[in-house]
């Protein structure tokens, strides 16, 4: 199981978001020099877990995160057991679209795509992020380098986002 490769910290949407604990964890794992870049993207991904979780006390969503150095890169993984990114986008924009199209900014139907996703894809283009993987039960979309090839091809429930940042990048 893929989660066994990580030491995931488990949270749920009934608890407040604790980005300070995330930052401390990232620094402990070797990401201090690129913390601003990591924080910018992880905070958006984690906010999306809360934003898209069903409302009400009985509908909490578990979510998990971990970070680790992989060679000359730093990998951040955030996973939840919610509906799934592609399932949500297909419901909103149509199931006939290929998964990759659901993530592309050029699709006129997707003008209200999240700021976090846009920023992550922009930094991928600028080489501040070297790879990104989006997974849900409907499939997997990998973008960028091969640093995340160890991620499995499927997920049974929810969403998994893994992004990799070069350790040499200077956080601004």
């Amino acid at each position: 199981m893929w989660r066994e490769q990580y030491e995931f910290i488990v949270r749920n949407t009934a608890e407040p978001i604790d980005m300070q604990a995330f930052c401390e964890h990232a620094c402990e794992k070797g990401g201090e020099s690129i913390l601003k870049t990591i924080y910018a993207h992880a905070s958006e991904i984690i906010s999306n877990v809360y934003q898209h979780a069903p409302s009400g006390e009985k509908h909490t969503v578990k979510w998990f995160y971990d970070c680790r150095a992989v060679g000359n890169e730093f990998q951040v993984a955030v996973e939840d057991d919610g509906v799934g990114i592609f399932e949500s986008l297909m419901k909103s924009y149509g199931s006939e679209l290929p998964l990759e199209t659901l993530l592309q900014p050029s699709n006129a139907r997707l003008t209200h795509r999240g700021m976090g996703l846009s920023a992550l894809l922009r930094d991928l283009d600028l080489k501040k992020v070297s790879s990104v993987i989006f997974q849900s039960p409907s499939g997997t979309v990998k973008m960028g380098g091969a640093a995340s090839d160890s991620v499995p091809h499927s997920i049974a429930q929810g969403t998994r986002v893994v992004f990799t940042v070069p350790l040499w990048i200077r956080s601004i």
Side-chain angles (χ1 to χ4, degrees):
M1 180 182 234
W2 185 76
R3 282 191 187 155
E4 293 169 357
Q5 295 177 18
Y6 285 89
E7 298 171 10
F8 271 115
I9 294 170
V10 181
R11 306 291 303 200
N12 72 62
T13 54
E15 304 167 329
I17 298 174
D18 186 356
M19 287 308 296
Q20 181 175 345
F22 173 86
C23 291
E24 290 170 1
H25 180 71
C27 289
E28 288 171 10
K29 295 290 187 155
E32 187 172 6
S33 65
I34 54 171
L35 187 58
K36 287 182 183 176
T37 302
I38 295 166
Y39 178 86
H41 297 302
S43 64
E44 288 291 337
I45 294 166
I46 293 167
S47 291
N48 282 340
V49 173
Y50 282 77
Q51 217 171 21
H52 298 288
S55 58
E57 286 183 30
K58 295 181 181 181
H59 299 288
T60 61
V61 171
K62 282 186 183 175
W63 62 279
F64 319 85
Y65 69 86
D66 196 16
C67 312
R68 64 182 181 174
V70 180
N72 292 329
E73 299 184 309
F74 195 77
Q75 190 175 79
V76 177
V78 178
E79 185 173 322
D80 68 54
D81 66 359
V83 174
I85 186 172
F86 296 125
E87 289 71 17
S88 178
L89 289 171
M90 287 188 291
K91 185 177 179 182
S92 298
Y93 301 111
S95 59
E96 75 280 357
L97 295 171
L99 298 181
E100 293 84 356
T101 304
L102 290 170
L103 298 172
Q104 296 304 315
S106 60
N107 189 331
R109 293 169 66 182
L110 306 180
T111 55
H112 190 273
R113 209 188 55 228
M115 295 285 294
L117 179 58
S118 297
L120 190 58
L121 296 178
R122 181 199 66 232
D123 279 359
L124 182 66
D125 287 341
L126 295 173
K127 308 286 189 245
K128 292 180 180 180
V129 171
S130 53
S131 66
V132 182
I133 295 177
F134 298 94
Q135 289 186 299
S136 73
S138 293
T140 300
V141 174
K142 294 182 180 185
M143 301 174 167
S148 323
D149 284 343
S150 63
V151 176
H153 297 292
S154 65
I155 181 174
Q157 180 181 351
T159 299
R160 177 184 297 141
V161 180
V162 180
F163 67 92
T164 307
V165 177
L167 281 170
W168 52 264
I169 193 80
R170 193 181 95 213
S171 291
I172 298 174

